[in-house]
Amino acid sequence: MTDTVAHETASAADALAGAQPVDVEAAVLAIGDRARRASRAMARANRAWKDRALRAIGSALKEHEAAILAANAKDLEEGRANGTTTALLDRLALTPARIDGLVSALENLAGLPDPVGNVVRGQTLPNGLRMRQVNVPMGVVAAIYEARPNVTVDIAGLALKSGNAVILRGGSAAAHTNRELVGILRDTLAAVGLPEDAVQTVDEFGRPGAEVLMRARGRVDVLIPRGGRELIQNVVLNSTVPVIETGEGNVHIFVDESADEEMAVNILLNAKTQRPSVCNTVETLLVHSKSTVLPAVARALAERGVRLHLDGRSMGALPAGVDGVPATDFDWATEYMDLDLAVATVDSLDEALEHIRRWSTGHTEAIITNDLGNAERFIAEIDSAAVIVNASTRFTDGGELGLGAEVGISTQKLHARGPMGLTELTTTKWIVQGEGQVRG
């Protein structure tokens, strides 16, 4: 941990103990000022320098793996003592394999093209002016998230590669882990000659610090919330800083009458049970009334411990030995993020589309079909950030889609939509070069 972070953390601890008051607003705005200065240095850093930093961070994570896991164990212990759900504990947990995944993501980021300086479009005008629009860093990116220490590394890596500084608010549930990770990130940046203030946190200031961060317009260029509905809506409704909204994932899969049974079973098992606590996990299954796959799908899911919440017709199609509970509107609207699945039977593609339009959060929807016409209609008529045909919804992920990592899944329609990678953390600048031209 850097001396600066250690000192600030100690100061906050002293304040909590009553030793000295802390002006939270002044402290957070000072972090914003330092981030702004660091962002100017990051904007000048070339690709080789940034990639060297990313690889150095990966090496440092492995070097300090034991310390990271020890800090994470404290967070998990406190989470269990506080009654944190199994799903949230899964998101909170780091393991050697998950740390290896973070290192791989950083290596992948280093191998991706630098978006800064990319020419979006350009031309020479009739008057001789040479015009081009290029990608440039946002400047200062802030992120508010909860119980996801992997996001600390993912967002920092993406921000650094795209030439930005980042301010993090990772929440109390992961406080020990995030403190360790931020210290490693800052130390590594300093070691490679980049400003350590390109990565900072306001975690020590708790919710008041997050509230100041949301109002730090002019110091923070964009704010990205990542977490449950309550967190996201709080940021969207109360922030004066521009927000890119990442949404909850009430994700649907529609199995039409032409779907292959083996494919349907494999996709549903992966989409529901591979990691049920994440936002691209399927939450509602819609099955065509003429399809015969539901008994096999239900049995396979039940064997993996999935609790089925079914409408009347779906309940009647369950095979012997498989149980379920009646579904209500609550189930159609719920992002379980656990081993629960709502199931409905529909009579047509139109009925499936209508159900999705009513209950979807605009994250990801999928169809399993052997009918090209149905696939094309589903693609055209579903208004979500990601639409998938004959594959698991778990692929709505920055790493899986070749983006190296992601800041989050944007469900809005302005600037960025879907998995947000490097390009989504840039904006554009118009560059016009002339030889003395004046406007007539």
Side-chain angles (χ1 to χ4, degrees), residues 103-180:
V103 175
S104 295
L106 290 167
E107 182 64 35
N108 289 339
L109 273 179
L112 292 175
D114 189 342
V116 178
N118 173 62
V119 178
V120 179
R121 54 182 163 173
Q123 62 177 313
T124 299
L125 302 175
N127 61 4
L129 288 175
R130 301 183 302 282
M131 174 274 292
R132 67 188 188 276
Q133 183 186 22
V134 301
N135 289 115
V136 295
M138 282 280 187
V140 177
V141 176
I144 297 178
Y145 52 102
E146 54 190 1
R148 291 171 166 89
N150 62 296
V151 172
T152 299
V153 177
D154 284 343
I155 291 183
L158 285 162
L160 296 171
K161 174 80 177 198
S162 52
N164 296 288
V166 65
I167 303 173
L168 304 169
R169 159 62 176 159
S172 59
H176 298 292
T177 313
N178 285 335
R179 187 179 302 120
E180 189 68 34

Side-chain angles (χ1 to χ4, degrees), residues 1-16:
M1 184 182 296
T2 64
D3 291 341
T4 301
V5 172
H7 173 72
E8 290 175 351
T9 303
S11 297
D14 290 342
L16 291 174

